[in-house]
Amino acid sequence: MICPKCEAEYVKGVTVCADCGTELITKASFAAHLVKHKDWEIVHSTDVMYEAEMIKANLDGAGIESIILSQQDKNFPASGDLSIIKLLVKKADAEDARLIIKDINKS
Ligand SMILES: [Zn+2]
C-alpha cells in the first residue's frame, strides 16, 4: 500500500497514511494515479525484474528519476498482460528515458 500524497509505502493492513491521513491505495492503482495526475509515463514494461532494475540504474546515472512497479502483489488484478513490471518516469524525462532504454536494448 502506498500514500498517493506523500508517496510513502506502508505494510499490508495499514489503510490510512500516518503522516497526512490520506487513504492508501495499492501500488497498482498508484501507477495509474501517477500517470493520470502527476504526469508520469510508463516508458518500459517487462516481466524480468533485473531488466527493470538495470534500466532504472541507467536512468539514475543519467539523473532521471524513475519508479519500478510490479504486479507481484497479490492484490494486483489479473490481466492478460504478461509484462508485469512497469517502469515509470516523469513525462518531461520520458523522451530521454526512451533513448537510454533504446541504447540499452541495442547492446
Ligand atoms: Zn500521506
Side-chain angles (χ1 to χ4, degrees):
M1 302 301 283
I2 198 156
C3 172
K5 217 169 170 184
C6 328
E7 297 174 15
E9 274 187 59
Y10 288 89
V11 292
K12 245 188 195 150
V14 183
T15 55
V16 171
C17 177
D19 287 330
C20 69
T22 300
E23 211 170 302
L24 302 181
I25 56 178
T26 63
K27 271 199 156 188
S29 346
F30 184 60
H33 168 85
L34 285 174
V35 169
K36 220 170 161 183
H37 303 288
K38 294 223 163 173
D39 283 343
W40 285 69
E41 201 171 311
I42 295 165
V43 288
H44 191 69
S45 296
T46 177
D47 53 2
V48 187
M49 185 46 106
Y50 76 75
E51 185 187 319
E53 278 168 352
M54 184 194 64
I55 292 171
K56 188 183 191 323
N58 275 277
L59 294 177
D60 279 350
I64 297 174
E65 195 187 343
S66 61
I67 296 178
I68 294 174
L69 287 162
S70 81
Q71 302 182 10
Q72 281 158 350
D73 204 311
K74 264 198 205 139
N75 289 329
F76 207 95
S79 75
D81 187 4
L82 288 174
S83 299
I84 55 166
I85 301 160
K86 301 195 188 312
L87 197 78
L88 286 90
V89 302
K90 285 179 180 147
K91 260 200 182 109
D93 296 326
E95 207 174 309
D96 291 341
R98 286 209 172 88
L99 287 175
I100 291 168
I101 293 165
K102 220 173 160 185
D103 271 352
I104 295 168
N105 288 336
K106 247 189 275 171
S107 53

